Amino acid sequence: MSFSASPVTENRSVRSLFAGPGEQGRWLLWRAAGEAVLAGALVLVMYKGGGGVSYLKLEGGAATLGLIGVAVVLVSVRRRFPGAGVVGLAALMGVVPVVAPLTAVAAYTAARQIQTSRRRAGLLLAAVASAPVTCVMFAPWMGLSRWEFGLALGAVLATITVVVPGLVGTSVGQQDRLLRALRERAAAAEEARRLADSESRMRERSRIAAEMHDLVGHRLSLVSLHAGGLEMALLKEAPALQNEAALVRSATRDAMQELREALGVLGPVERDTGTDALTDATGTRADVEALVEESQSGGIPVAFSWEGPDLDGRPARVRRAVHRVVRESLTNVHRYAAGAHVSVAVRHTEERVAVEVRNGVPPVPPAAATGLGSGQGLIGLRERVALLGGAMEADRTPGGGFAVAADIPADPGPGAETADTAPYDNVPVAVDEPGSGFSALQRRLGGAVTGLLGLVGVVVLMMFGLVLVDQAQFTSLPASGEEPRLGMTRERVKRAVGWDDTASRAAATGHEPPRPVSATDCIYTNTSEEPKSGRLEIVRYCFRSDSLIAIDRITVPMVTEPPGGRTTHD
């Protein structure tokens, strides 16, 4: 009977059309739906609020609605396809200007999301170029009288809805990435500090193990020596007990070997050698006085005081801790506060041993290279004291000096280690600020309000620019300053009165007098005068070949469309 393994299929998560980098979840669909609704509402607001601007009117029926639908889709998928979103909306903006605010949103999102400066600049330049091109191409369909006005309209829209939001989005994106990098660096520094502290604690524990090896090894060596002597003595006096003495000596040798093997598991250990090696006098009053005298010989003024009996009757680990606290503190004074006055005080009671080393401000500030220590030595001291069930504090004094104070049990029993000595904290350091849910909601609301205010500002600037272009389209101020007269060429007349106005031509239909028989074509312009009695004055210039042969002024009724229907004032 054979078994065939079923093929292993990889579950690859498909990125949603509405997701940005690193985003996933079903809530993205609801967000996209909400954005689509808001985009449609914004287009409606632009249409209702821009009735005074001729090319903000939605004309073209189904084609215009289809273009608006495409714009809504592009703004919904702008995070997944930032390039297509901003360029496509910029091109549609040149045909349907009411989608201009959606272009501003897409430009801001794309500039904030794209990290490569070259790609971001190329994308924004393509969007800036596409708006004037489509405005010029569809100028007649939008009701613009000349292509120059289409170019001006595209330039205004591209500047306000692509360039300005793109610059803001670039700045915000760089700020976000900078904050992210700073958080990562802070997390890395915190992790490095935590590892250094853990290493310092492990080194101190290894040193303690080495000290215990020396102490216990010395005791076991004495036991083995006496057992050997006893074995030799029993060889003649009591041969029956010789095997027992040999067994004691063998057990002692095995204990020494097992102790070395157990210590070897810790790896290389740091040992104190020379005058600092562990002895029976380590940590006694004479030993501490020797440390003080050594510092005094090095030029450090040290005041020493001892209260209570000597520590020679206390456990070796207590005496060693006292020795280490005094020695490490005096070493730090030599490094970072040379010349400062130092006081060393030891107080020994029945239950506790208190050690305090305090120094003042050094007469000469330390060099910058040695003015700050790593603090790892103090961390090791704190670990050693904590393993005995004690506590240690090290901090600056109000006068500018430094103080180290340790409180150690005089006779710590087994298992004196407290909960404060757990050095191996494997909790990962968070990169992002944790914050509460309410704080995150506040940040999101603040960002939404800021974005809404920025969008309102873009719309106001855009409407101001569109009104200027719209007013410039219907001005009759001669471009050349020359009044048209019969016999002028067509080019000179156009420079004087502007291009043919399709709206004026349509308004004159049915109200103009017959054209001259020899006229080949005519151009129509309107005057800048205010309508009088509901009538507007239109000027018709008729040409034969390339020469002006007739100038006719025509008054046509103004047509308004009230809510109830269409009315003509005649």
Side-chain angles (χ1 to χ4, degrees), residues 201-286:
R201 294 187 179 100
M202 293 178 63
R203 187 184 301 113
E204 190 66 25
R205 291 193 174 197
S206 178
R207 182 184 288 114
I208 295 173
E211 294 169 0
M212 292 302 100
H213 169 269
D214 295 340
L215 183 62
V216 176
H218 175 66
R219 303 302 184 191
L220 290 177
S221 298
L222 292 178
V223 172
S224 179
L225 179 63
H226 289 295
L230 180 61
E231 183 182 359
M232 295 297 295
L234 292 177
L235 181 60
K236 296 181 179 180
E237 300 295 335
L241 299 177
Q242 181 185 8
N243 292 334
E244 297 296 333
L247 182 62
V248 172
R249 184 169 58 85
S250 176
T252 304
R253 185 177 63 252
D254 293 341
M256 286 284 295
Q257 182 65 26
E258 291 174 358
L259 180 62
R260 292 190 183 97
E261 292 177 356
L263 190 62
V265 174
L266 299 176
V269 295
E270 295 186 0
R271 299 171 179 267
D272 293 329
T273 58
T275 58
D276 295 328
L278 179 64
T279 64
D280 291 338
T282 300
T284 61
R285 180 168 183 169

Side-chain angles (χ1 to χ4, degrees), residues 53 56 130 149 161 316:
V53 181
L56 286 182
S130 62
F149 292 112
T161 63

Side-chain angles (χ1 to χ4, degrees), residues 432-440 443:
D432 293 329
E433 297 179 355
S436 61
F438 183 69
S439 299
R443 289 195 298 269

Side-chain angles (χ1 to χ4, degrees), residues 5 418 473 495:
T418 63
Q473 181 182 198
R495 287 201 302 266

Side-chain angles (χ1 to χ4, degrees), residues 87-322:
V87 175
L89 283 169
L92 290 177
M93 178 178 61
V95 184
V96 188
V98 290
V99 304
L102 306 185
T103 306
V105 174
Y108 172 82
T109 303
R112 181 177 180 179
Q113 179 175 321
I114 298 176
Q115 300 183 10
T116 307
S117 58
R118 180 176 299 179
R119 180 188 173 195
R120 181 172 56 245
L123 180 62
L124 294 179
L125 288 177
V128 169
S130 62
V133 170
T134 53
C135 277
V136 171
M137 293 176 57
F138 293 90
W141 187 74
M142 296 171 60
L144 297 172
S145 59
R146 297 161 54 180
W147 68 269
E148 288 90 343
F149 292 112
L151 182 62
L153 176 62
V156 169
L157 292 176
T159 302
I160 297 176
T161 63
V162 177
V163 176
V164 174
L167 294 177
V168 175
T170 300
S171 176
V172 174
Q174 290 178 347
Q175 182 181 8
D176 292 343
R177 288 186 288 273
L178 177 61
L179 291 177
R180 177 74 179 183
L182 291 177
R183 292 194 185 103
E184 290 178 352
R185 290 188 61 182
E190 180 67 19
E191 180 68 13
R193 185 199 64 80
R194 188 183 66 83
L195 292 176
D197 293 349
S198 179
E199 181 182 0
S200 178
R201 294 187 179 100
M202 293 178 63
R203 187 184 301 113
E204 190 66 25
R205 291 193 174 197
S206 178
R207 182 184 288 114
I208 295 173
E211 294 169 0
M212 292 302 100
H213 169 269
D214 295 340
L215 183 62
V216 176
H218 175 66
R219 303 302 184 191
L220 290 177
S221 298
L222 292 178
V223 172
S224 179
L225 179 63
H226 289 295
L230 180 61
E231 183 182 359
M232 295 297 295
L234 292 177
L235 181 60
K236 296 181 179 180
E237 300 295 335
L241 299 177
Q242 181 185 8
N243 292 334
E244 297 296 333
L247 182 62
V248 172
R249 184 169 58 85
S250 176
T252 304
R253 185 177 63 252
D254 293 341
M256 286 284 295
Q257 182 65 26
E258 291 174 358
L259 180 62
R260 292 190 183 97
E261 292 177 356
L263 190 62
V265 174
L266 299 176
V269 295
E270 295 186 0
R271 299 171 179 267
D272 293 329
T273 58
T275 58
D276 295 328
L278 179 64
T279 64
D280 291 338
T282 300
T284 61
R285 180 168 183 169
D287 179 61
V288 176
E289 287 179 348
L291 293 176
V292 171
E293 292 175 358
E294 183 179 355
S295 295
Q296 290 174 344
S297 63
I300 303 296
V302 183
F304 174 68
S305 65
W306 183 291
E307 297 181 11
D310 203 343
L311 294 177
D312 50 1
R314 295 300 180 181
R317 49 182 178 163
V318 175
R319 293 185 284 107
R320 187 62 177 173
V322 173

